């Protein structure tokens, strides 16, 4: 009889514990309710452009070949760099030049071709009579962009051209002059090459928009 009473008492205690846990669970379910509110906003974002263009001088552009050079001769050609009206201001404009052939015209830094570039600000380069020389006309001012130096160059900074391109006119009138030095000797006879001019524009400095 004692064993039976003890078993009955243990069963009642267990049942009581289960009931208490169940009641706590039901009470916790009521804490998930809350007042809420939502609002939204949108921001329009669009990227800009960096676009540099090049047009050839109508009379003497770089498409006109220069043949039969002898020491002391110069070659003058003109191009116009432009900045698209839809583009951002430029942070820099740089020039890289290369030759199509590895010969003395480009590899000899002293007696090979020498490069100089000038800008006609406020005017345009015009052919002088029937010669193949170019002068700055229209009231323009001649400004040096690249001083005479070996023709092969890498990332030469064209600060003067950049300022002109960032101005209201958004263009830079450039005269390219190639000179075969008088010191070039017989080893230069019969050589030919093609010089490529690559103008690179980079974006302006980052701003808070």
């Amino acid at each position: 009889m004692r064993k039976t009473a003890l078993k009955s008492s243990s069963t009642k205690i267990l049942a009581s514990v289960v009931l208490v846990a169940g009641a706590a669970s039901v009470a916790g379910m009521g804490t998930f309710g809350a007042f809420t509110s939502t609002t939204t906003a949108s921001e329009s974002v669009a990227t800009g452009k960096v676009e540099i263009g090049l047009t050839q001088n109508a009379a003497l552009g770089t498409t006109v070949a220069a043949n039969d050079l002898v020491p002391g001769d110069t070659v003058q050609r003109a191009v116009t760099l432009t900045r698209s009206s839809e583009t951002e201001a430029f942070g820099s404009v740089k020039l890289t030049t290369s030759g199509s052939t590895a010969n003395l015209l480009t590899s000899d830094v002293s007696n090979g071709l020498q490069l100089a570039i000038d800008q006609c600000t406020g005017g345009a380069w015009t052919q002088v009579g029937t010669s193949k020389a170019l002068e700055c006309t229209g009231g323009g001012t001649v400004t040096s962009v690249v001083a005479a130096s070996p023709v092969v160059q890498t990332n030469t900074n064209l600060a003067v051209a950049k300022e002109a391109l960032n101005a209201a006119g958004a263009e830079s009138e450039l005269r390219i002059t190639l000179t075969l030095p008088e010191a070039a000797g017989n080893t230069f006879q019969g050589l030919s090459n093609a010089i490529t001019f690559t103008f690179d524009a980079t974006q302006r400095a980052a701003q808070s928009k």
Side-chain angles (χ1 to χ4, degrees):
M1 293 295 290
R2 291 179 181 178
K3 289 181 179 181
T4 302
L6 180 59
K7 181 179 181 180
S8 176
S9 177
S10 298
T11 301
K12 289 179 181 179
I13 292 172
L14 178 60
S16 298
V17 171
V18 171
L19 287 174
V20 171
S25 176
V26 172
M29 292 177 63
T31 63
F32 290 107
F35 295 145
T36 64
S37 177
T38 303
T39 187
T40 62
S42 64
E43 169 69 16
S44 178
V45 177
T47 58
K49 295 180 181 179
V50 175
E51 185 177 336
I52 188 170
L54 182 149
T55 58
Q56 298 283 348
N57 181 278
L60 286 175
T62 59
T63 54
V64 179
N67 299 314
D68 303 322
L69 297 181
V70 297
D73 280 351
T74 60
V75 179
Q76 293 190 334
R77 301 291 185 263
V79 297
T80 302
L81 298 182
T82 59
R83 179 174 60 85
S84 168
S85 60
E86 298 179 351
T87 198
E88 293 296 303
F90 295 153
S92 69
V93 176
K94 296 184 178 182
L95 169 67
T96 295
T97 57
S98 61
S100 62
T101 304
N103 60 25
L104 290 173
L105 290 173
T106 55
S107 63
D108 189 328
V109 297
S110 298
N111 300 319
L113 290 172
Q114 303 296 301
L115 169 68
I117 299 178
D118 298 303
Q119 177 176 277
C120 179
T121 305
W125 295 108
T126 304
Q127 186 175 1
V128 180
T130 58
S131 72
K132 290 187 178 179
L134 294 164
E135 63 180 350
C136 180
T137 60
T141 302
V142 178
T143 306
S144 175
V145 179
V146 176
S149 50
V151 67
V152 174
Q153 305 189 15
T154 302
N155 288 331
T156 299
N157 189 31
L158 308 183
V160 173
K162 183 202 77 169
E163 294 303 319
L165 288 164
N166 284 343
E171 67 177 31
S172 174
E173 299 279 353
L174 299 180
R175 180 182 64 188
I176 298 167
T177 301
L178 298 175
T179 302
L180 182 61
E182 293 182 355
N186 286 330
T187 54
F188 285 83
Q189 290 193 57
L191 300 181
S192 63
N193 217 314
I195 309 301
T196 298
F197 299 83
T198 302
F199 298 90
D200 293 305
T202 63
Q203 69 171 53
R204 56 163 175 75
Q207 299 175 353
S208 175
K209 293 288 188 176

